[in-house]
Amino acid sequence: MSHIRILIVEDEPLIAMSTSAMLEGIDYEVSAIAYDSDEALEQLRSDPPDLALLDVNLKSKLDGIQIGEIIRDQYDLPFIFLTSYAGESIVERAKLTRPMGYIVKPFDEKDLFTAIEIALYNYAQFVHPLKLDMERLNKKLPSPLTPREFDIIKDIYEGKTNQQLAKRHFISINTVKTHVKHLFEKLDVQSRAEALVMLRNLNQAQP
Amino acid sequence: MSHIRILIVEDEPLIAMSTSAMLEGIDYEVSAIAYDSDEALEQLRSDPPDLALLDVNLKSKLDGIQIGEIIRDQYDLPFIFLTSYAGESIVERAKLTRPMGYIVKPFDEKDLFTAIEIALYNYAQFVHPLKLDMERLNKKLPSPLTPREFDIIKDIYEGKTNQQLAKRHFISINTVKTHVKHLFEKLDVQSRAEALVMLRNLNQAQP
DNA sequence: TTAAAAATCACCCTGTGGGGTGATTCCCCC
DNA sequence: GGGGGAATCACCCCACAGGGTGATTTTTAA
């Protein structure tokens, strides 16, 4: 697998550097170091990483928690908070952003490694899989879906009707029906609602 | 809110005791300390806690990771791994169980507190809310669902048809249709599939 | 090059789903 | 004791979903 790319947002250069060195020591790639919130947002926009490490006590326009809120709302990647201070009020604020981890300073390579691995894994398990992944799905099916059928099921998963599917994919509604029929057989269901439930369950299940 | 009850599974008495003291110092309740896997399973069965702290390197029939698997499959509660050793192979095994956290020894009160708070919160956000909760749902709706409508929507959420609903609730299919019509209006949807999508989104959203 | 699989489309047919309207009973609250 | 929401039910209507059958073309693999 290719390198996991990590963005560090930390205003204390010494900590940023040592964190960066640790990450590279355990085979991650540091996509960038942002020393304030503007740089962080710019990096997120121009070169989104696979994961972000956010200093909670960032001294800039936005602090780490506010950046976390932006990531949660506007980006599709997990983030982990770094902090030296873990007072109750901070944690209260932080957890509302639903971070995938929280590391208390001082930390070492082991702390980083486990937090990142768990964060990436749980993010893939609980957050991202709301979007369907064809390979993952097909592994769980006795007979796999074709690419076209997968296109269709993605929209069914979003609640679309046959007519909407026909327009969106520039095909006849009859063709849509054929695809739907086939994928219902493969999923072993008899209605869209059942299909949604089946996908929910398959998605939640073991990879 | 009442005390969060935590089960400690740790075969090293000194660590177990100090962990227990830390937890009580930060206002959690220690439901029990289990010194081996048999005790842990017995406690889970007879007096399930709100969260479990599992020593990965447990020296007994089952190690911490195996207990984690059992909790994931058979119980509905989050767990956090404790370990002094964070080798890659251990982390690989551990993350497959989808723990809600991972703490590397030695740790202090702050580490414990943040890991537990984040774990409980994320668990409630990502895992448990697959089950519908009427109060939570109604808070997000402009006009709330009645109890009966909620009974119905729970089954729609499981992919049931109107006929199945009628039988299951001992009411006429016409009554089912009336309820369905009302709750579709309240959810602002026009089909079961759309309702499923809406519920998925509402459930995933901020509480 | 040829066979198999995937994608496209058509037609028919039935059942259910979803919308509209209206009515009754029960119970709670003012 | 009367108003109002909740729960129950009926009937009509029609669009759409879902199943069956069959056919053509394009792509892929053998």
Side-chain angles (χ1 to χ4, degrees):
Chain A
M1 132 172 48
S2 77
H3 279 206
I4 309 273
R5 304 179 67 255
I6 297 180
L7 170 66
I8 300 175
V9 181
E10 165 68 74
D11 58 359
E12 191 58 65
L14 276 179
I15 296 180
M17 290 305 175
S18 90
T19 305
S20 174
M22 282 186 205
L23 289 176
E24 280 165 356
I26 43 182
D27 209 34
Y28 296 122
E29 181 184 330
V30 176
S31 76
I33 299 179
Y35 293 98
D36 60 48
S37 56
D38 286 341
E39 287 183 51
L41 295 180
E42 170 57 24
Q43 277 299 323
L44 284 169
R45 208 187 48 71
S46 64
D47 181 30
D50 298 310
L51 180 145
L53 293 175
L54 307 177
D55 180 19
V56 167
N57 311 103
L58 199 68
K59 273 151 203 73
S60 68
K61 275 191 208 160
L62 307 176
D63 67 17
I65 293 180
Q66 291 169 307
I67 297 176
E69 284 168 7
I70 291 174
I71 293 179
R72 183 204 57 206
D73 292 340
Q74 298 174 29
Y75 296 89
D76 183 26
L77 54 98
F79 54 94
I80 295 175
F81 285 126
L82 304 177
T83 186
S84 46
Y85 174 68
E88 227 173 291
S89 63
I90 298 282
V91 174
E92 284 302 313
R93 267 185 74 208
K95 72 183 185 186
L96 291 176
T97 66
R98 281 177 272 155
M100 294 314 293
Y102 202 105
I103 305 179
V104 182
K105 299 176 193 172
F107 53 85
D108 60 18
E109 283 191 12
K110 291 202 308 277
D111 296 312
L112 262 183
F113 177 66
T114 55
I116 291 172
E117 288 296 309
I118 300 287
L120 288 171
Y121 193 79
N122 280 349
Y123 191 78
Q125 281 295 313
F126 296 127
V127 185
H128 197 74
L130 297 175
K131 287 132 200 162
L132 290 174
D133 175 9
M134 182 159 139
E135 268 109 296
R136 272 196 59 205
L137 182 59
N138 276 342
K139 269 186 236 158
K140 297 169 191 165
L141 294 177
S143 117
L145 299 185
T146 67
R148 205 68 175 139
E149 284 163 1
F150 190 74
D151 286 344
I152 302 291
I153 210 173
K154 271 194 298 189
D155 285 339
I156 289 185
Y157 193 64
E158 299 303 327
K160 302 281 185 290
T161 67
N162 287 346
Q163 247 154 13
Q164 291 173 308
L165 294 192
K167 282 196 183 161
R168 172 181 290 237
H169 294 283
F170 306 103
I171 54 179
S172 145
I173 195 170
N174 299 301
T175 308
V176 174
K177 284 183 169 195
T178 308
H179 288 313
V180 170
K181 196 190 316 177
H182 288 156
L183 64 88
F184 276 12
E185 278 163 19
K186 292 181 181 179
L187 287 175
D188 190 30
V189 296
Q190 273 140 115
S191 73
R192 299 163 114 72
E194 266 190 81
L196 280 261
V197 173
M198 180 62 77
L199 288 174
R200 192 207 300 152
N201 293 338
L202 289 175
N203 243 350
Q204 205 59 28
Q206 235 48 333
Chain B
M1 134 172 43
S2 76
H3 278 208
I4 309 272
R5 304 178 67 254
I6 296 180
L7 170 66
I8 300 175
V9 182
E10 166 66 76
D11 58 359
E12 191 58 64
L14 276 179
I15 296 179
M17 289 306 174
S18 89
T19 305
S20 173
M22 283 186 205
L23 290 176
E24 280 165 357
I26 43 182
D27 209 35
Y28 297 122
E29 182 184 329
V30 176
S31 76
I33 299 179
Y35 294 98
D36 60 48
S37 57
D38 286 342
E39 285 182 53
L41 296 179
E42 170 59 22
Q43 277 298 324
L44 285 168
R45 208 186 48 71
S46 64
D47 181 29
D50 298 309
L51 180 146
L53 293 174
L54 306 177
D55 179 19
V56 166
N57 312 102
L58 200 68
K59 273 150 202 75
S60 68
K61 274 190 207 161
L62 307 177
D63 67 19
I65 293 179
Q66 291 169 306
I67 296 175
E69 285 168 6
I70 291 174
I71 292 179
R72 184 204 57 207
D73 292 339
Q74 296 174 30
Y75 296 90
D76 183 25
L77 55 98
F79 54 93
I80 295 174
F81 284 127
L82 304 177
T83 185
S84 46
Y85 174 68
E88 225 173 293
S89 63
I90 297 281
V91 174
E92 284 303 313
R93 268 185 74 207
K95 72 183 186 187
L96 292 176
T97 67
R98 280 177 272 155
M100 293 312 294
Y102 202 105
I103 305 178
V104 181
K105 299 175 193 173
F107 52 86
D108 60 20
E109 283 191 11
K110 290 201 310 275
D111 296 312
L112 261 183
F113 177 67
T114 56
I116 290 172
E117 287 297 309
I118 301 288
L120 286 172
Y121 193 78
N122 280 349
Y123 191 78
Q125 281 293 314
F126 296 127
V127 185
H128 199 73
L130 296 175
K131 288 133 198 163
L132 289 175
D133 175 9
M134 182 159 141
E135 269 109 295
R136 271 196 59 203
L137 182 59
N138 276 343
K139 269 185 238 158
K140 297 170 192 165
L141 294 177
S143 117
L145 300 185
T146 67
R148 205 65 174 141
E149 284 163 2
F150 189 74
D151 286 344
I152 302 292
I153 211 174
K154 271 193 299 189
D155 285 338
I156 288 185
Y157 193 64
E158 299 304 326
K160 300 283 184 292
T161 67
N162 288 345
Q163 249 155 12
Q164 290 173 309
L165 294 191
K167 281 195 186 163
R168 172 181 292 236
H169 295 281
F170 306 104
I171 55 179
S172 146
I173 195 170
N174 299 300
T175 308
V176 174
K177 284 182 168 196
T178 307
H179 288 313
V180 170
K181 197 190 314 176
H182 289 156
L183 62 89
F184 276 12
E185 279 163 19
K186 293 180 181 179
L187 287 176
D188 190 31
V189 296
Q190 273 143 108
S191 73
R192 299 163 112 73
E194 267 189 81
L196 279 262
V197 174
M198 179 62 77
L199 289 175
R200 192 207 301 152
N201 293 339
L202 289 175
N203 244 348
Q204 206 59 29
Q206 232 55 326

